[in-house]
Structures are given as C-alpha cells and as structure tokens.
Amino acid sequence: QVQLVESGGGLVQTGGSLRLSCAASGSIFSASTMGWYRQAPGKQRELVAAITSGSNTIYADSVKGRFTISRDNAENTVYLQMNSLKSEDTAVYYCNAKRGGLIAYNYWGRGTQVTVSS
C-alpha cells in the first residue's frame, strides 16, 4: 500500500513563503510523476506543478516564477517551494503520484492546508 504524507502547510502573510513536503512510502517513487494539486473552497482541484521521473517540470500559469517543485529520490520526497504567496493561493494542497502504461497507478495524499492572509 502506497502512502503519501504531506507536511509544511500553515498560515502565512501575503508575500511570505512556505515549503511543502510529501513523503512517499513504498518503492514507486522514482518511477512516478509527482504532482502538487490544490483545491480552494467551491472550486475544482487543479494542478499546481508536476515533476516527472526524469525531473522535467510543469507549472500552472498562476504560479510560474513563484513556485518551484523538486524531488529527492533518495529520500522518496517531493517538495514545493512557494514564494511571494498571494491570498488566491489559499487552498488545500494535495500530493499525487502517478504512472501510466502497463503498470498504471494514481495515488493521493490527504492534503495540507495553506492559508495566505493579507
């Protein structure tokens, strides 16, 4: 059973920074595309950033230049460094591990709350 455990959320003022971490159990991490998604109240869950097994990255337009996703395969951990936070970044942030093809899977963490106050 794969588990994804997020940490690092909290309350921060506008313009501040937070670093989210997601620790993955099991042996799937290095082969997975790891992603951070977020869901604000009344809105659909959306992709924030993702990093492939080859460390290619993709970002939502709304966070480009402010957020950085990275991974440490030795520690089975993916990070999301969030700088210059805005009130619209307030949401529950979820970690995701996925892989397509013959050995396909899609796992989610339980989420961590990020609240940006003005």
Side-chain angles (χ1 to χ4, degrees):
Q1 182 70 20
V2 173
Q3 285 190 321
L4 303 175
V5 180
E6 302 99 335
S7 61
L11 175 64
V12 64
Q13 290 188 329
T14 300
S17 297
L18 282 175
R19 188 194 197 201
L20 305 184
S21 300
C22 171
S25 66
S27 59
I28 67 165
F29 185 84
S30 61
S32 302
T33 289
M34 301 300 299
W36 286 98
Y37 291 73
R38 66 186 180 188
Q39 187 166 18
K43 295 188 177 181
Q44 289 188 331
R45 191 173 297 189
E46 62 175 359
L47 174 67
V48 176
I51 184 167
T52 68
S53 58
S55 294
N56 294 310
T57 58
I58 185 171
Y59 295 92
D61 287 343
S62 59
V63 307
K64 283 181 181 176
R66 300 189 297 123
F67 291 10
T68 302
I69 190 170
S70 61
R71 65 190 298 159
D72 184 338
N73 289 340
E75 296 293 328
N76 282 4
T77 302
V78 62
Y79 303 97
L80 185 67
Q81 178 66 43
M82 305 187 294
N83 298 329
S84 303
L85 282 161
K86 305 175 181 180
S87 58
E88 51 262 46
D89 295 318
T90 295
V92 178
Y93 284 71
Y94 296 91
C95 180
N96 175 265
K98 70 170 70 173
R99 182 178 179 181
L102 294 177
I103 307 175
Y105 50 78
N106 190 24
Y107 297 111
W108 292 93
R110 292 188 174 185
T112 186
Q113 177 70 47
V114 171
T115 302
V116 184
S117 65
S118 56

